[in-house]
Amino acid sequence: MKTEVTPKEKLFQTATRLFYQHGYRSIGVDTIAAESGIGKMTLYRHYPSKDDLIIAYLRDSNRLFWDQFELITRNAPTSREKIQVFFEALQSYVLSPVCYGCPFINIAAEYPEAEYSGHQVALEHKQSVLARFHQLSEEAGARDPAALANALFLLMDGAYVAARMFGSSTRSPAISLAETAHQILEAYC
């Protein structure tokens, strides 16, 4: 039996798609309301401001990232293999036509002000990813876990930027993402 989507869910799904594909500043509440078929009054009842909707989207993106990370890595027996399978999956994702980069990089680029709440949520997310890479690097026996974590972090975010710049083109530098991750792991472990 199909569950009916509530107006709040429809608004959120529409905003999510629009923010991810087109950016945050370029999408206004009028567009979200029109695309979702839900009135602005209802939108403001559920999300008092566009910023509230952006924050909800970023928090949900954080949850989805970690859910996917755990799903992708759960069967890898070692920390080193967890890193490798994550980058293999990331390569597949960033080379797909459904990838428009990273919502956290995108918000930081559009709202570079450190005090902006969306920027803060993005920073929290990125700090937690860096911390997880550091933990996995230590568990993998890296000679310099902090340096390996930094390299992996930069590789991941470079792949997201490549996705935004090159799309799913075979000319994307992300075409060798998994191999590059392997080489970095070899250099540090």
Side-chain angles (χ1 to χ4, degrees), residues 99-151:
C99 184
Y100 293 92
C102 170
F104 305 101
I105 293 172
N106 296 346
I107 195 75
E110 289 191 48
Y111 293 90
E113 305 82 15
E115 66 279 354
Y116 175 66
S117 55
H119 190 103
Q120 292 171 5
V121 171
L123 182 59
E124 288 168 16
H125 170 79
K126 292 300 183 179
Q127 288 170 329
S128 67
V129 172
L130 187 56
R132 185 61 168 277
F133 283 160
H134 189 271
Q135 173 198 355
L136 291 170
S137 297
E138 283 182 332
E139 292 170 1
R143 289 183 295 283
D144 186 345
L148 176 54
N150 288 342

Side-chain angles (χ1 to χ4, degrees), residues 22 27 30 35 38 44-45 47 64 73 78 87 94 99 107 109 111 129 132 140 180 187-188:
H22 303 290
I27 298 300
D30 290 332
E35 291 253 347
I38 309 292
Y44 285 122
R45 185 170 42 251
Y47 302 99
L64 289 171
T73 63
T78 67
F87 279 95
V94 299
C99 184
I107 195 75
Y111 293 90
V129 172
R132 185 61 168 277
T180 303
Y188 282 93

